[in-house]
PDB file of all heavy atoms in Angstrom:
ATOM      1  N   THR D1287     -10.064  21.549  13.350  1.00  0.00           N
ATOM      2  CA  THR D1287     -10.995  22.574  14.009  1.00  0.00           C
ATOM      3  C   THR D1287     -10.335  23.867  13.722  1.00  0.00           C
ATOM      4  O   THR D1287      -9.132  24.110  13.858  1.00  0.00           O
ATOM      5  CB  THR D1287     -11.040  22.305  15.545  1.00  0.00           C
ATOM      6  OG1 THR D1287     -11.523  20.999  15.742  1.00  0.00           O
ATOM      7  CG2 THR D1287     -11.989  23.346  16.180  1.00  0.00           C
ATOM      8  N   ALA D1288     -11.155  24.882  13.350  1.00  0.00           N
ATOM      9  CA  ALA D1288     -10.751  26.234  13.120  1.00  0.00           C
ATOM     10  C   ALA D1288     -11.220  27.167  14.224  1.00  0.00           C
ATOM     11  O   ALA D1288     -12.418  27.106  14.603  1.00  0.00           O
ATOM     12  CB  ALA D1288     -11.244  26.727  11.796  1.00  0.00           C
ATOM     13  N   LYS D1482     -15.603  26.114   8.697  1.00  0.00           N
ATOM     14  CA  LYS D1482     -16.287  27.085   9.515  1.00  0.00           C
ATOM     15  C   LYS D1482     -15.663  27.089  10.946  1.00  0.00           C
ATOM     16  O   LYS D1482     -15.369  26.073  11.519  1.00  0.00           O
ATOM     17  CB  LYS D1482     -17.724  26.855   9.606  1.00  0.00           C
ATOM     18  CG  LYS D1482     -18.525  26.911   8.329  1.00  0.00           C
ATOM     19  CD  LYS D1482     -19.982  26.713   8.521  1.00  0.00           C
ATOM     20  CE  LYS D1482     -20.720  26.950   7.182  1.00  0.00           C
ATOM     21  NZ  LYS D1482     -22.216  26.693   7.414  1.00  0.00           N
ATOM     22  N   PRO D1483     -15.338  28.324  11.512  1.00  0.00           N
ATOM     23  CA  PRO D1483     -14.808  28.439  12.802  1.00  0.00           C
ATOM     24  C   PRO D1483     -15.719  27.749  13.932  1.00  0.00           C
ATOM     25  O   PRO D1483     -16.876  27.757  13.724  1.00  0.00           O
ATOM     26  CB  PRO D1483     -14.783  29.971  13.068  1.00  0.00           C
ATOM     27  CG  PRO D1483     -14.735  30.491  11.773  1.00  0.00           C
ATOM     28  CD  PRO D1483     -15.553  29.700  10.875  1.00  0.00           C
ATOM     29  N   ALA D1484     -15.209  27.097  14.809  1.00  0.00           N
ATOM     30  CA  ALA D1484     -15.888  26.460  15.932  1.00  0.00           C
ATOM     31  C   ALA D1484     -16.718  27.379  16.561  1.00  0.00           C
ATOM     32  O   ALA D1484     -16.379  28.608  16.739  1.00  0.00           O
ATOM     33  CB  ALA D1484     -14.892  25.771  16.893  1.00  0.00           C
ATOM     34  N   ASN D1485     -17.887  26.980  17.007  1.00  0.00           N
ATOM     35  CA  ASN D1485     -18.979  27.795  17.712  1.00  0.00           C
ATOM     36  C   ASN D1485     -19.791  28.532  16.716  1.00  0.00           C
ATOM     37  O   ASN D1485     -20.973  28.648  16.900  1.00  0.00           O
ATOM     38  CB  ASN D1485     -18.323  28.770  18.763  1.00  0.00           C
ATOM     39  CG  ASN D1485     -19.376  29.362  19.705  1.00  0.00           C
ATOM     40  OD1 ASN D1485     -20.503  28.832  19.765  1.00  0.00           O
ATOM     41  ND2 ASN D1485     -19.026  30.448  20.278  1.00  0.00           N
ATOM     42  N   ASN D1486     -19.209  29.207  15.674  1.00  0.00           N
ATOM     43  CA  ASN D1486     -19.891  29.856  14.650  1.00  0.00           C
ATOM     44  C   ASN D1486     -21.117  30.616  15.035  1.00  0.00           C
ATOM     45  O   ASN D1486     -22.168  30.718  14.364  1.00  0.00           O
ATOM     46  CB  ASN D1486     -20.286  28.756  13.637  1.00  0.00           C
ATOM     47  CG  ASN D1486     -20.490  29.344  12.176  1.00  0.00           C
ATOM     48  OD1 ASN D1486     -19.905  30.359  11.834  1.00  0.00           O
ATOM     49  ND2 ASN D1486     -21.350  28.694  11.384  1.00  0.00           N
ATOM     50  N   ASP D1488     -23.372  30.029  17.397  1.00  0.00           N
ATOM     51  CA  ASP D1488     -24.547  29.284  17.854  1.00  0.00           C
ATOM     52  C   ASP D1488     -24.515  28.834  19.277  1.00  0.00           C
ATOM     53  O   ASP D1488     -25.362  28.183  19.785  1.00  0.00           O
ATOM     54  CB  ASP D1488     -24.803  28.165  16.950  1.00  0.00           C
ATOM     55  CG  ASP D1488     -23.777  27.055  17.005  1.00  0.00           C
ATOM     56  OD1 ASP D1488     -22.842  27.264  17.729  1.00  0.00           O
ATOM     57  OD2 ASP D1488     -23.899  26.109  16.203  1.00  0.00           O
ATOM     58  N   ASP D1490     -22.499  26.672  20.748  1.00  0.00           N
ATOM     59  CA  ASP D1490     -22.025  25.370  20.968  1.00  0.00           C
ATOM     60  C   ASP D1490     -20.654  25.227  20.131  1.00  0.00           C
ATOM     61  O   ASP D1490     -20.663  25.425  18.996  1.00  0.00           O
ATOM     62  CB  ASP D1490     -22.878  24.249  20.566  1.00  0.00           C
ATOM     63  CG  ASP D1490     -24.149  24.226  21.433  1.00  0.00           C
ATOM     64  OD1 ASP D1490     -23.982  24.396  22.676  1.00  0.00           O
ATOM     65  OD2 ASP D1490     -25.248  24.180  20.909  1.00  0.00           O
ATOM     66  N   CYS D1491     -19.593  24.804  20.876  1.00  0.00           N
ATOM     67  CA  CYS D1491     -18.302  24.674  20.222  1.00  0.00           C
ATOM     68  C   CYS D1491     -18.314  23.274  19.373  1.00  0.00           C
ATOM     69  O   CYS D1491     -18.646  22.242  19.967  1.00  0.00           O
ATOM     70  CB  CYS D1491     -17.203  24.540  21.215  1.00  0.00           C
ATOM     71  SG  CYS D1491     -15.567  24.496  20.523  1.00  0.00           S
ATOM     72  N   LYS D1492     -18.004  23.397  18.179  1.00  0.00           N
ATOM     73  CA  LYS D1492     -18.114  22.299  17.282  1.00  0.00           C
ATOM     74  C   LYS D1492     -16.699  21.941  16.705  1.00  0.00           C
ATOM     75  O   LYS D1492     -15.908  22.835  16.415  1.00  0.00           O
ATOM     76  CB  LYS D1492     -18.986  22.564  15.971  1.00  0.00           C
ATOM     77  CG  LYS D1492     -20.402  22.815  16.418  1.00  0.00           C
ATOM     78  CD  LYS D1492     -21.273  23.135  15.237  1.00  0.00           C
ATOM     79  CE  LYS D1492     -22.755  23.339  15.552  1.00  0.00           C
ATOM     80  NZ  LYS D1492     -23.553  23.770  14.338  1.00  0.00           N
ATOM     81  N   THR D1493     -16.513  20.638  16.561  1.00  0.00           N
ATOM     82  CA  THR D1493     -15.239  20.198  15.978  1.00  0.00           C
ATOM     83  C   THR D1493     -15.532  19.452  14.661  1.00  0.00           C
ATOM     84  O   THR D1493     -16.400  18.523  14.696  1.00  0.00           O
ATOM     85  CB  THR D1493     -14.540  19.151  16.899  1.00  0.00           C
ATOM     86  OG1 THR D1493     -14.189  19.899  18.135  1.00  0.00           O
ATOM     87  CG2 THR D1493     -13.156  18.721  16.310  1.00  0.00           C
ATOM     88  N   GLN D1494     -14.924  19.843  13.585  1.00  0.00           N
ATOM     89  CA  GLN D1494     -15.224  19.200  12.307  1.00  0.00           C
ATOM     90  C   GLN D1494     -14.166  18.194  11.980  1.00  0.00           C
ATOM     91  O   GLN D1494     -13.004  18.312  12.292  1.00  0.00           O
ATOM     92  CB  GLN D1494     -15.163  20.365  11.215  1.00  0.00           C
ATOM     93  CG  GLN D1494     -16.253  21.393  11.481  1.00  0.00           C
ATOM     94  CD  GLN D1494     -16.225  22.473  10.459  1.00  0.00           C
ATOM     95  OE1 GLN D1494     -15.278  22.520   9.609  1.00  0.00           O
ATOM     96  NE2 GLN D1494     -17.135  23.354  10.454  1.00  0.00           N
TER      97      GLN D1494
END
Side-chain angles (χ1 to χ4, degrees):
T1287 304
K1482 293 183 179 181
N1485 191 21
N1486 203 27
D1488 62 5
D1490 296 314
C1491 186
K1492 296 178 180 178
T1493 301
Q1494 299 179 350

